[in-house]
Structure formats: C-alpha cells, structure tokens
Amino acid sequence: MAGIYRAFIGNIQKYKYNKRFFRKSLAMILIMASVPGLIIGLSIYWIATNNVEEELQRLHQNQIKNRAANIDDQLAFLEMTVSHWAFDSKFDEKLKTLDFAYNYDTVQDMYRTILSLESAHPFLQKVELFLEKPRALVFSTERYTFLNNSSDIESYETLLKHDKSMFWTIPKPQGASNQGLSIVSKIPGGSSEPFGAIIATLNQDNLLKVLKTLTPYNEGVTMLFNDKNEWNLSSSGAAGSELDQALKQAYVTHQAELKDTTVNDAKPESFLFDFNKVSYSVSYGHFNRLGQTWVYISAAPLSSITAPVVSISKWILVISITGLIFALLLSWFVSRRIYHPVQRLLSLLAGERNEEVKDEFALIEKHWQHLSKETESMRNKLEEQVPILREGFFLQLAQGYLISLHENDMKERMKRYGWETENRQFIALMFQLTGFANLEGRFSPGDESLVTFAASNIIDEVIKEQYEQAEIINFHNFSIGVLLSFPSSHPLSWLENDLEEVCQEVIRAINRILKMQVTISVSKGIHNVKQIPHLFEEVRQALVYRDLLDENQIIRAEQLSKLNVLKESSYPFTLDKEIISAIRNGQETEAVELISQFMEELSANGSTEFMLQQGMLQLLGSIRYSSLQSGMNPVQLFGSVNLFEQLGQIKEPEQMLNWFQRKVISVFVQEMISRQDYHFKQIIEQVIVYLREQYMTPLSLESCADLFGTSPYTLSRAFKQITGVNFIDFLTNIRISNAKTMLMETDMKISEVADAVGYQHSYFNRLFKKYEGITPSQFRELNRKE
C-alpha cells in the first residue's frame, strides 16, 4: 500500500508540472477572465450609449442657444446702427428745404451716404430714404422718385404715424421694391415731428442662411416669426410647408401647457415632436425686438442628432463580439506557446550549467535581487549627475530653448529639480562683469571663462545664504544669471529693499576678490514659468543701458521707461571724417588715437553702453562704405566674418578700441598700402619727370599733391619710400645740379642762375653753400680754372 501511495503522489507531482496541464489551466483561466470582461463591456455599452445620447442632445440644445444669441446680437447691432443713422447730421431739418433739382452736391452726398449704409451690415439688402417734405419722395442708391400716387404716399405716411420712432415692419406701398422685413427709423432722430424715415430692408437669403445654422444638419427646419404672426421666415420656403404649420401648432400647444404648469419656474425651451413617423427635437426661443416678440423654432430629426451614437453602438457590438471570439481562439493558441519564453528565461538565468531547475521562482528571485542592486547603483550614479542636468535645464530655460513646452510641463520639470512652482513669483537678475582689460597681468587672454566661473561661485555663495530657492546660471561670457523664487504673498517693497542689499554685497565681494566692476540688472516679478525666458531677455537687454562713467550699477528693467535712458548724445561727425582720412592715408597710429577720442566724445555726459555701441556700429559702417569708395570689396577685405555681430558682443570700451585696431584699421591700412605701392610708383615717376621739367617754377609738396590727385602726406611718404630721399631734397638736388651746369657752361650772373632754377638770390647762395660747401661764385671760379 505504501508503495502504491508513493507512486500515485509522484504521478500527481509530475502531472502538476506537465506542459499539457499548464496549457489547459491557462486556457481555462483566459476563458474565465473573458466572461467578466464581456459582462463589463456590455454594461459599459448600455450605460455609455444612453449617457452619450443625452450628452449629444444637451450639446445640441446649447449649440442652438449660442447661435440664437449670436443672431440676436447681430439684430441688436443692426438696430443700433440704424438708430445712429437717424441722428446723423445729414438727415436733419435741412432736408425739408432741399431742392433735389439744384442741390446736386447734396444729393450726391446723400447717395454716397445711403450706399455706405447698405454695406454697413451683411443682413441689409436695400436702404431707402422717404421724405414727406417739401415733396413726397423716395431716395435709394438707384434713383430718387417723387411720389404722385396717393396710395403710395399714404402707405409711407403710415410709417410716420407709427407710435414708435423705430420699429420692425413689412412696408407695403404699391410698386415699392422693398417688400421684405424692414426696420424703419424716423428722421430726424428724437424729433416729435418727423418728416421722413430710413427704411432698411433685410436680405432674406442672408438671414435664412444664418437661421439655418440653428439646425446644423441637412435635415430639419428653422422658422422665425413674430408673435402677431404678421410675417414668417422658414428654411423650407417663404410659404411654409406642412411641417412648418404643424410645428407652429405644436409650439402654441406647448406654450399653453406651460402656462398651466406650476411644477417649476424654469421655462422649458425644447420638446419632442412626432410628424409623419419621424421624431423631431424641437427647440425654440424668443427675441425681444423693439417691443415685438420674435419666435424662432429649430426642429432636427432625432436620428440626425443620435446618428453618431447609433453608428458607434453598432461598431462597439460588432467589435466586442468579434474580440470575444478572437480571444477564445487565441486563448487556445497562446496557451501552447506561452511557456516557451518562460523556459528561455530560465535557461538564460541558469547560464551554461545544465543543472536541473527545481524551483523556477527561486532562481528568478535570486536574479531579481541582483538586478535590484545594480539598479540601486545606477540610481546613485544618476543622482550624482542631477546637478549637471539641473544646470543644463536652467541654462536652456533662460536661453529660451524650452519655450515650446507648455506651462504645466515646465512646472513639472522644475519640481523634479526641487523647485516649488505653485503660488510663486519669479525674478531674474543678470550680472555683467567689466574691467577685464584693466587687470594688467592678473589674468591672461583666454581666462574669460575662468573669471566668469569664479564670479558665479561668489554670487552662488552670497545669494544662497539669503534665499531658499535660487539658481545660478553661468553664461561663460562675463555674464551670470540668477533666477529667484518667492512666495506670491511677499510684498514688492520688501523684495526691492532686500534685493538691493544682496546686490550691494555681491558687488563688494567681486570688487574685493576679482578687482572687477559689476553691473546688475533686476527684472520685474512674474507668476508664469513660461515667461522666464522673456524675463532673462529683458534683463540682458537692460544691461546695454549701463552708464559708462559709473563703475558699479544696479539697473531695474521695469524702471527704464521712466528714466532718461537715451540721453542726448551728438555723433562726432568731424572725428568720423578724420578717422576715415587717417585710414585712407595709412596713418594707423593716428587713426587709433582718433578712434579713442571718438569714443571719449560718445561716452561724455554719462552716455550708456547702448549709445556707445550704436555710435561704434555707425563708425564701422562708415569705414566699410569708405572701403567700397576706395575700390575694395568688404567681403574680400574682412572675410565672411560678421563684423557688426562681433562688435555688438563687446561690452568694454578698451576691448572695442583693441578690436578696431586689430580687425578693421590694420587690415584696411595693409590693403591700402599693398594697393598703393604700384599706383604710387607710377605717380612718383610722373612727379620726377614733372620736377625735372618744371624745376625752375615755384614748386611745393602741396601743389604737386594737388596736381597728381593725392594728399601731401601720402605723396611725401611714397616719395621717400621709392626714391630714398624726401621730396624737398630731391627737388633741391635737381635745382643745384642744373645751377652747377649753368655756372660752368654759361656766363649768366649768379642772380640770373638763381632765378633760372627757381630761387631768390640770397637764399640760393645759402642753399648752394650748404650743399656744395662753397658759394656759387667760388664754384664757377674753381671749375673754370680746372
């Protein structure tokens, strides 16, 4: 017996882990799980279908109310417009005495006025002016007609006898062109004795188009009529249909039932109506128009309203049944293969060892614990990277790269980095360091990022001692941004005073440690996170208004409009011309000195950085224009570099001056020299020939420069560079050489020789002795003896 029992238990244990048993069990579980799902799905179907149908009807009613309100507003606007016309000065008492045969200009003016009135509203089709005095006439945009028929006159005069100055009606003068619904306003407006009327007839087609929007379906009907049933408009036609008459009768019946009902005070505006085996959802309402009550009725078939629900319901049933059948089929198929990935997982966890796995879950648990440890290690490494990610996020936020995110997305990201965003106000500060060029060896070129990093650490230490939520943003260009967050309840006056003290402390620390000056711009407070990039752009732009004569400054961006930030500053045009002239003449050193004077004049009287930059940009434009005038291509001369963008990035005057010298003046002068070498060589050769031919006439450096189209300085420098001697010495050598020839070969007097070579007698004697060591007379005697 014991052996049989053990064999039976063993068979059961084997059967427990048998794959076929696993598949059958899994299939049964899937089938059992599908039945509750089907029950729940059907329940949801019936509940959701009814709710969706009710919601569609409710939305339909709201849509009709909104569109009816829109039509009511348009009619009210039309009434107000016509009322304004009646008070227009063109329709005053002067029309009583107007002679239409002779006052052509006035008639033309009235024609233009009526023409403009017709186009004042899309509902208007025609506007007519009826005048009873001095002679009954009707004026329109087509013509004006004197009324001779007494019945027509009586019809129009009936309008003037109406007890209201403005009212709706359908005028019925015989032969009149405007037989539609019209609004009539007596003129002049407010007068107790009107002598005319403005008759504005509605365009029934346009009005019907708008009325049809009350029934936004291809089926159904929309009606509009007044309570006295004097007129009737219907989307089915002017005469109306059987459905129109039935709807009117149903409306009257429903109104009568409401008068007898005292269940609630709310007045229903819809009911269901059956006509020709079709159920309609009928909505109605009233317009109060100048003492009249207009009724609109909108009837739409229920099938049109609930069509989406019916279609969706059918599809839900089809899909649900199909899904159930498909799930039953897949249950059998999936159960055969679902154990395969489990087996693969066990094989991977066991590795290459072929040991038999008795407890799969123990093996999975063991590896799960190992993976948990690795996950914890990765989490620690991620936490170490959070500060870097935080810095990158706020840098992108300040620079506007996250502007496409929604407000809630930005708040959610800031919460991840420990920031509170609800009921908070945000303030941005921008710190700009200046004076790097004056440190005199304390830092070398290229240390800008190092200096900015040191300043950001100083600011971080000072700011975070004072404020709980603060983020320091290093822009690596002597600019450091700070984003602060405060509760919305903090008063602005407290924030201003507190920020003033903190900014002063930062200025003192940077002055003491880095020996640099600081300009701080402070923004206004905002409550929306999405506005933070605009806040930083605002404080960045405010920095250009720093006073160049003030070393440390605090600028409040919101007060710039109240301050005289654009102080009067005249552009030094004289220095501009002198700079251009010096550059053209190749005087690089003088040009640099003139630019320095140029900047001093721009910076005088407390000028701002913005004004200095604008002046220097204008000077750069003048230099580029001068290069064009000199026959140089600025693109070839300066390369494809955007000089204006580079200059706009420079904040300090000293750096601007160095940049002009290296990037602009030196390049321009070198190009001028290289271009002028060959050109001046030709000019000097011509000058030498001219001097040899005209040495006997009064000559000077200035006269020769004017003659050959150059400046005295340029001619003197080129002459010295090419011939090796200056202009005066060369001319003197020519004259002395010719004088020596005359002294040796002629018997001319010394004074005659001096005149022949262009000198006065006394000056010639001194100059000859200076160059030859003896007087002209001694030279003649010495050479004749030889």
Side-chain angles (χ1 to χ4, degrees), residues 300-327:
L302 281 177
S303 58
S304 299
I305 300 175
T306 60
V309 178
V310 175
S311 177
I312 292 173
S313 301
K314 292 179 180 178
W315 278 108
I316 289 176
L317 286 175
V318 172
I319 293 173
S320 299
I321 295 173
T322 304
L324 178 61
I325 296 173
F326 188 65

PDB file of all heavy atoms in Angstrom, residues 300-327:
ATOM      1  N   ALA A 300     -34.954  69.383 -35.492  1.00  0.00           N
ATOM      2  CA  ALA A 300     -33.997  68.474 -36.120  1.00  0.00           C
ATOM      3  C   ALA A 300     -34.410  67.049 -35.804  1.00  0.00           C
ATOM      4  O   ALA A 300     -34.791  66.735 -34.671  1.00  0.00           O
ATOM      5  CB  ALA A 300     -32.585  68.742 -35.600  1.00  0.00           C
ATOM      6  N   PRO A 301     -34.360  66.143 -36.777  1.00  0.00           N
ATOM      7  CA  PRO A 301     -34.705  64.746 -36.509  1.00  0.00           C
ATOM      8  C   PRO A 301     -33.762  64.153 -35.464  1.00  0.00           C
ATOM      9  O   PRO A 301     -32.563  64.401 -35.483  1.00  0.00           O
ATOM     10  CB  PRO A 301     -34.535  64.064 -37.876  1.00  0.00           C
ATOM     11  CG  PRO A 301     -34.592  65.170 -38.882  1.00  0.00           C
ATOM     12  CD  PRO A 301     -34.039  66.372 -38.205  1.00  0.00           C
ATOM     13  N   LEU A 302     -34.353  63.399 -34.560  1.00  0.00           N
ATOM     14  CA  LEU A 302     -33.522  62.753 -33.536  1.00  0.00           C
ATOM     15  C   LEU A 302     -32.507  61.813 -34.158  1.00  0.00           C
ATOM     16  O   LEU A 302     -31.403  61.630 -33.639  1.00  0.00           O
ATOM     17  CB  LEU A 302     -34.419  61.974 -32.559  1.00  0.00           C
ATOM     18  CG  LEU A 302     -35.130  62.794 -31.479  1.00  0.00           C
ATOM     19  CD1 LEU A 302     -36.022  61.888 -30.648  1.00  0.00           C
ATOM     20  CD2 LEU A 302     -34.117  63.497 -30.592  1.00  0.00           C
ATOM     21  N   SER A 303     -32.876  61.236 -35.292  1.00  0.00           N
ATOM     22  CA  SER A 303     -31.936  60.311 -35.936  1.00  0.00           C
ATOM     23  C   SER A 303     -30.666  61.023 -36.378  1.00  0.00           C
ATOM     24  O   SER A 303     -29.587  60.444 -36.367  1.00  0.00           O
ATOM     25  CB  SER A 303     -32.617  59.654 -37.145  1.00  0.00           C
ATOM     26  OG  SER A 303     -33.065  60.652 -38.071  1.00  0.00           O
ATOM     27  N   SER A 304     -30.788  62.310 -36.771  1.00  0.00           N
ATOM     28  CA  SER A 304     -29.593  63.061 -37.172  1.00  0.00           C
ATOM     29  C   SER A 304     -28.716  63.378 -35.973  1.00  0.00           C
ATOM     30  O   SER A 304     -27.495  63.367 -36.057  1.00  0.00           O
ATOM     31  CB  SER A 304     -30.003  64.362 -37.869  1.00  0.00           C
ATOM     32  OG  SER A 304     -30.735  64.094 -39.028  1.00  0.00           O
ATOM     33  N   ILE A 305     -29.362  63.677 -34.828  1.00  0.00           N
ATOM     34  CA  ILE A 305     -28.587  64.029 -33.633  1.00  0.00           C
ATOM     35  C   ILE A 305     -27.871  62.811 -33.072  1.00  0.00           C
ATOM     36  O   ILE A 305     -26.703  62.863 -32.682  1.00  0.00           O
ATOM     37  CB  ILE A 305     -29.506  64.652 -32.574  1.00  0.00           C
ATOM     38  CG1 ILE A 305     -30.175  65.928 -33.127  1.00  0.00           C
ATOM     39  CG2 ILE A 305     -28.741  64.957 -31.298  1.00  0.00           C
ATOM     40  CD1 ILE A 305     -31.191  66.536 -32.196  1.00  0.00           C
ATOM     41  N   THR A 306     -28.618  61.684 -33.030  1.00  0.00           N
ATOM     42  CA  THR A 306     -28.058  60.486 -32.388  1.00  0.00           C
ATOM     43  C   THR A 306     -27.406  59.552 -33.377  1.00  0.00           C
ATOM     44  O   THR A 306     -27.054  58.427 -33.031  1.00  0.00           O
ATOM     45  CB  THR A 306     -29.176  59.738 -31.648  1.00  0.00           C
ATOM     46  OG1 THR A 306     -30.198  59.354 -32.585  1.00  0.00           O
ATOM     47  CG2 THR A 306     -29.792  60.613 -30.572  1.00  0.00           C
ATOM     48  N   ALA A 307     -27.238  59.989 -34.636  1.00  0.00           N
ATOM     49  CA  ALA A 307     -26.616  59.113 -35.633  1.00  0.00           C
ATOM     50  C   ALA A 307     -25.227  58.641 -35.218  1.00  0.00           C
ATOM     51  O   ALA A 307     -24.887  57.471 -35.380  1.00  0.00           O
ATOM     52  CB  ALA A 307     -26.565  59.821 -36.984  1.00  0.00           C
ATOM     53  N   PRO A 308     -24.372  59.536 -34.662  1.00  0.00           N
ATOM     54  CA  PRO A 308     -23.059  59.045 -34.233  1.00  0.00           C
ATOM     55  C   PRO A 308     -23.163  57.964 -33.162  1.00  0.00           C
ATOM     56  O   PRO A 308     -22.381  57.008 -33.157  1.00  0.00           O
ATOM     57  CB  PRO A 308     -22.375  60.313 -33.701  1.00  0.00           C
ATOM     58  CG  PRO A 308     -23.079  61.437 -34.357  1.00  0.00           C
ATOM     59  CD  PRO A 308     -24.482  61.002 -34.505  1.00  0.00           C
ATOM     60  N   VAL A 309     -24.146  58.116 -32.248  1.00  0.00           N
ATOM     61  CA  VAL A 309     -24.280  57.129 -31.172  1.00  0.00           C
ATOM     62  C   VAL A 309     -24.685  55.775 -31.742  1.00  0.00           C
ATOM     63  O   VAL A 309     -24.149  54.733 -31.360  1.00  0.00           O
ATOM     64  CB  VAL A 309     -25.298  57.613 -30.134  1.00  0.00           C
ATOM     65  CG1 VAL A 309     -25.480  56.579 -29.045  1.00  0.00           C
ATOM     66  CG2 VAL A 309     -24.853  58.942 -29.547  1.00  0.00           C
ATOM     67  N   VAL A 310     -25.636  55.767 -32.698  1.00  0.00           N
ATOM     68  CA  VAL A 310     -26.099  54.508 -33.281  1.00  0.00           C
ATOM     69  C   VAL A 310     -24.969  53.809 -34.014  1.00  0.00           C
ATOM     70  O   VAL A 310     -24.751  52.603 -33.875  1.00  0.00           O
ATOM     71  CB  VAL A 310     -27.293  54.776 -34.221  1.00  0.00           C
ATOM     72  CG1 VAL A 310     -27.709  53.497 -34.942  1.00  0.00           C
ATOM     73  CG2 VAL A 310     -28.461  55.362 -33.446  1.00  0.00           C
ATOM     74  N   SER A 311     -24.226  54.617 -34.811  1.00  0.00           N
ATOM     75  CA  SER A 311     -23.127  54.022 -35.562  1.00  0.00           C
ATOM     76  C   SER A 311     -22.060  53.450 -34.632  1.00  0.00           C
ATOM     77  O   SER A 311     -21.589  52.328 -34.810  1.00  0.00           O
ATOM     78  CB  SER A 311     -22.518  55.076 -36.495  1.00  0.00           C
ATOM     79  OG  SER A 311     -21.424  54.550 -37.180  1.00  0.00           O
ATOM     80  N   ILE A 312     -21.719  54.249 -33.619  1.00  0.00           N
ATOM     81  CA  ILE A 312     -20.695  53.781 -32.677  1.00  0.00           C
ATOM     82  C   ILE A 312     -21.185  52.555 -31.916  1.00  0.00           C
ATOM     83  O   ILE A 312     -20.424  51.611 -31.670  1.00  0.00           O
ATOM     84  CB  ILE A 312     -20.322  54.920 -31.713  1.00  0.00           C
ATOM     85  CG1 ILE A 312     -19.594  56.047 -32.478  1.00  0.00           C
ATOM     86  CG2 ILE A 312     -19.438  54.418 -30.580  1.00  0.00           C
ATOM     87  CD1 ILE A 312     -19.328  57.278 -31.655  1.00  0.00           C
ATOM     88  N   SER A 313     -22.468  52.547 -31.566  1.00  0.00           N
ATOM     89  CA  SER A 313     -23.010  51.415 -30.813  1.00  0.00           C
ATOM     90  C   SER A 313     -22.909  50.126 -31.613  1.00  0.00           C
ATOM     91  O   SER A 313     -22.532  49.070 -31.103  1.00  0.00           O
ATOM     92  CB  SER A 313     -24.471  51.694 -30.445  1.00  0.00           C
ATOM     93  OG  SER A 313     -24.583  52.871 -29.676  1.00  0.00           O
ATOM     94  N   LYS A 314     -23.252  50.234 -32.887  1.00  0.00           N
ATOM     95  CA  LYS A 314     -23.172  49.031 -33.723  1.00  0.00           C
ATOM     96  C   LYS A 314     -21.731  48.531 -33.823  1.00  0.00           C
ATOM     97  O   LYS A 314     -21.457  47.337 -33.735  1.00  0.00           O
ATOM     98  CB  LYS A 314     -23.724  49.332 -35.113  1.00  0.00           C
ATOM     99  CG  LYS A 314     -25.228  49.604 -35.122  1.00  0.00           C
ATOM    100  CD  LYS A 314     -25.711  49.915 -36.522  1.00  0.00           C
ATOM    101  CE  LYS A 314     -27.221  50.181 -36.544  1.00  0.00           C
ATOM    102  NZ  LYS A 314     -27.720  50.525 -37.898  1.00  0.00           N
ATOM    103  N   TRP A 315     -20.849  49.480 -34.020  1.00  0.00           N
ATOM    104  CA  TRP A 315     -19.444  49.078 -34.137  1.00  0.00           C
ATOM    105  C   TRP A 315     -18.923  48.500 -32.831  1.00  0.00           C
ATOM    106  O   TRP A 315     -18.119  47.553 -32.834  1.00  0.00           O
ATOM    107  CB  TRP A 315     -18.598  50.278 -34.566  1.00  0.00           C
ATOM    108  CG  TRP A 315     -18.635  50.515 -36.041  1.00  0.00           C
ATOM    109  CD1 TRP A 315     -19.258  51.506 -36.700  1.00  0.00           C
ATOM    110  CD2 TRP A 315     -18.001  49.708 -37.035  1.00  0.00           C
ATOM    111  NE1 TRP A 315     -19.081  51.405 -38.046  1.00  0.00           N
ATOM    112  CE2 TRP A 315     -18.292  50.287 -38.289  1.00  0.00           C
ATOM    113  CE3 TRP A 315     -17.222  48.551 -37.008  1.00  0.00           C
ATOM    114  CZ2 TRP A 315     -17.840  49.769 -39.486  1.00  0.00           C
ATOM    115  CZ3 TRP A 315     -16.757  48.024 -38.202  1.00  0.00           C
ATOM    116  CH2 TRP A 315     -17.067  48.615 -39.428  1.00  0.00           C
ATOM    117  N   ILE A 316     -19.381  49.052 -31.691  1.00  0.00           N
ATOM    118  CA  ILE A 316     -18.935  48.518 -30.400  1.00  0.00           C
ATOM    119  C   ILE A 316     -19.402  47.072 -30.237  1.00  0.00           C
ATOM    120  O   ILE A 316     -18.637  46.195 -29.810  1.00  0.00           O
ATOM    121  CB  ILE A 316     -19.471  49.388 -29.248  1.00  0.00           C
ATOM    122  CG1 ILE A 316     -18.742  50.742 -29.232  1.00  0.00           C
ATOM    123  CG2 ILE A 316     -19.276  48.690 -27.909  1.00  0.00           C
ATOM    124  CD1 ILE A 316     -19.261  51.703 -28.213  1.00  0.00           C
ATOM    125  N   LEU A 317     -20.647  46.808 -30.619  1.00  0.00           N
ATOM    126  CA  LEU A 317     -21.162  45.443 -30.506  1.00  0.00           C
ATOM    127  C   LEU A 317     -20.404  44.490 -31.415  1.00  0.00           C
ATOM    128  O   LEU A 317     -19.999  43.398 -31.012  1.00  0.00           O
ATOM    129  CB  LEU A 317     -22.652  45.422 -30.857  1.00  0.00           C
ATOM    130  CG  LEU A 317     -23.601  46.009 -29.792  1.00  0.00           C
ATOM    131  CD1 LEU A 317     -25.025  46.027 -30.315  1.00  0.00           C
ATOM    132  CD2 LEU A 317     -23.524  45.206 -28.501  1.00  0.00           C
ATOM    133  N   VAL A 318     -20.207  44.919 -32.662  1.00  0.00           N
ATOM    134  CA  VAL A 318     -19.505  44.045 -33.610  1.00  0.00           C
ATOM    135  C   VAL A 318     -18.090  43.759 -33.144  1.00  0.00           C
ATOM    136  O   VAL A 318     -17.624  42.613 -33.143  1.00  0.00           O
ATOM    137  CB  VAL A 318     -19.519  44.685 -35.016  1.00  0.00           C
ATOM    138  CG1 VAL A 318     -18.629  43.888 -35.964  1.00  0.00           C
ATOM    139  CG2 VAL A 318     -20.937  44.759 -35.558  1.00  0.00           C
ATOM    140  N   ILE A 319     -17.411  44.831 -32.737  1.00  0.00           N
ATOM    141  CA  ILE A 319     -16.015  44.661 -32.307  1.00  0.00           C
ATOM    142  C   ILE A 319     -15.942  43.822 -31.040  1.00  0.00           C
ATOM    143  O   ILE A 319     -15.041  42.977 -30.879  1.00  0.00           O
ATOM    144  CB  ILE A 319     -15.361  46.038 -32.107  1.00  0.00           C
ATOM    145  CG1 ILE A 319     -15.229  46.773 -33.451  1.00  0.00           C
ATOM    146  CG2 ILE A 319     -14.000  45.907 -31.461  1.00  0.00           C
ATOM    147  CD1 ILE A 319     -14.758  48.202 -33.333  1.00  0.00           C
ATOM    148  N   SER A 320     -16.872  44.064 -30.111  1.00  0.00           N
ATOM    149  CA  SER A 320     -16.839  43.310 -28.852  1.00  0.00           C
ATOM    150  C   SER A 320     -17.046  41.820 -29.089  1.00  0.00           C
ATOM    151  O   SER A 320     -16.308  40.976 -28.563  1.00  0.00           O
ATOM    152  CB  SER A 320     -17.910  43.843 -27.898  1.00  0.00           C
ATOM    153  OG  SER A 320     -17.678  45.190 -27.592  1.00  0.00           O
ATOM    154  N   ILE A 321     -18.040  41.488 -29.928  1.00  0.00           N
ATOM    155  CA  ILE A 321     -18.302  40.070 -30.200  1.00  0.00           C
ATOM    156  C   ILE A 321     -17.148  39.444 -30.969  1.00  0.00           C
ATOM    157  O   ILE A 321     -16.710  38.319 -30.666  1.00  0.00           O
ATOM    158  CB  ILE A 321     -19.633  39.927 -30.984  1.00  0.00           C
ATOM    159  CG1 ILE A 321     -20.804  40.396 -30.110  1.00  0.00           C
ATOM    160  CG2 ILE A 321     -19.845  38.496 -31.438  1.00  0.00           C
ATOM    161  CD1 ILE A 321     -22.132  40.442 -30.844  1.00  0.00           C
ATOM    162  N   THR A 322     -16.650  40.197 -31.955  1.00  0.00           N
ATOM    163  CA  THR A 322     -15.501  39.681 -32.709  1.00  0.00           C
ATOM    164  C   THR A 322     -14.294  39.499 -31.806  1.00  0.00           C
ATOM    165  O   THR A 322     -13.560  38.498 -31.899  1.00  0.00           O
ATOM    166  CB  THR A 322     -15.154  40.643 -33.854  1.00  0.00           C
ATOM    167  OG1 THR A 322     -16.298  40.848 -34.670  1.00  0.00           O
ATOM    168  CG2 THR A 322     -14.027  40.093 -34.707  1.00  0.00           C
ATOM    169  N   GLY A 323     -14.072  40.480 -30.916  1.00  0.00           N
ATOM    170  CA  GLY A 323     -12.942  40.373 -29.994  1.00  0.00           C
ATOM    171  C   GLY A 323     -13.073  39.185 -29.057  1.00  0.00           C
ATOM    172  O   GLY A 323     -12.073  38.525 -28.729  1.00  0.00           O
ATOM    173  N   LEU A 324     -14.301  38.919 -28.616  1.00  0.00           N
ATOM    174  CA  LEU A 324     -14.504  37.787 -27.719  1.00  0.00           C
ATOM    175  C   LEU A 324     -14.199  36.465 -28.424  1.00  0.00           C
ATOM    176  O   LEU A 324     -13.509  35.599 -27.895  1.00  0.00           O
ATOM    177  CB  LEU A 324     -15.939  37.793 -27.200  1.00  0.00           C
ATOM    178  CG  LEU A 324     -16.331  36.623 -26.282  1.00  0.00           C
ATOM    179  CD1 LEU A 324     -15.455  36.628 -25.033  1.00  0.00           C
ATOM    180  CD2 LEU A 324     -17.802  36.685 -25.917  1.00  0.00           C
ATOM    181  N   ILE A 325     -14.712  36.350 -29.664  1.00  0.00           N
ATOM    182  CA  ILE A 325     -14.450  35.110 -30.418  1.00  0.00           C
ATOM    183  C   ILE A 325     -12.960  34.970 -30.687  1.00  0.00           C
ATOM    184  O   ILE A 325     -12.369  33.882 -30.542  1.00  0.00           O
ATOM    185  CB  ILE A 325     -15.253  35.125 -31.732  1.00  0.00           C
ATOM    186  CG1 ILE A 325     -16.752  35.123 -31.427  1.00  0.00           C
ATOM    187  CG2 ILE A 325     -14.886  33.934 -32.610  1.00  0.00           C
ATOM    188  CD1 ILE A 325     -17.628  35.304 -32.655  1.00  0.00           C
ATOM    189  N   PHE A 326     -12.342  36.096 -31.049  1.00  0.00           N
ATOM    190  CA  PHE A 326     -10.912  36.057 -31.345  1.00  0.00           C
ATOM    191  C   PHE A 326     -10.106  35.722 -30.087  1.00  0.00           C
ATOM    192  O   PHE A 326      -9.107  34.989 -30.139  1.00  0.00           O
ATOM    193  CB  PHE A 326     -10.489  37.409 -31.915  1.00  0.00           C
ATOM    194  CG  PHE A 326      -9.084  37.438 -32.436  1.00  0.00           C
ATOM    195  CD1 PHE A 326      -8.732  36.664 -33.533  1.00  0.00           C
ATOM    196  CD2 PHE A 326      -8.123  38.228 -31.824  1.00  0.00           C
ATOM    197  CE1 PHE A 326      -7.430  36.693 -34.006  1.00  0.00           C
ATOM    198  CE2 PHE A 326      -6.841  38.242 -32.290  1.00  0.00           C
ATOM    199  CZ  PHE A 326      -6.481  37.481 -33.395  1.00  0.00           C
ATOM    200  N   ALA A 327     -10.555  36.271 -28.926  1.00  0.00           N
ATOM    201  CA  ALA A 327      -9.857  35.974 -27.672  1.00  0.00           C
ATOM    202  C   ALA A 327      -9.972  34.499 -27.308  1.00  0.00           C
ATOM    203  O   ALA A 327      -9.017  33.879 -26.818  1.00  0.00           O
ATOM    204  CB  ALA A 327     -10.416  36.842 -26.554  1.00  0.00           C
TER     205      ALA A 327
END
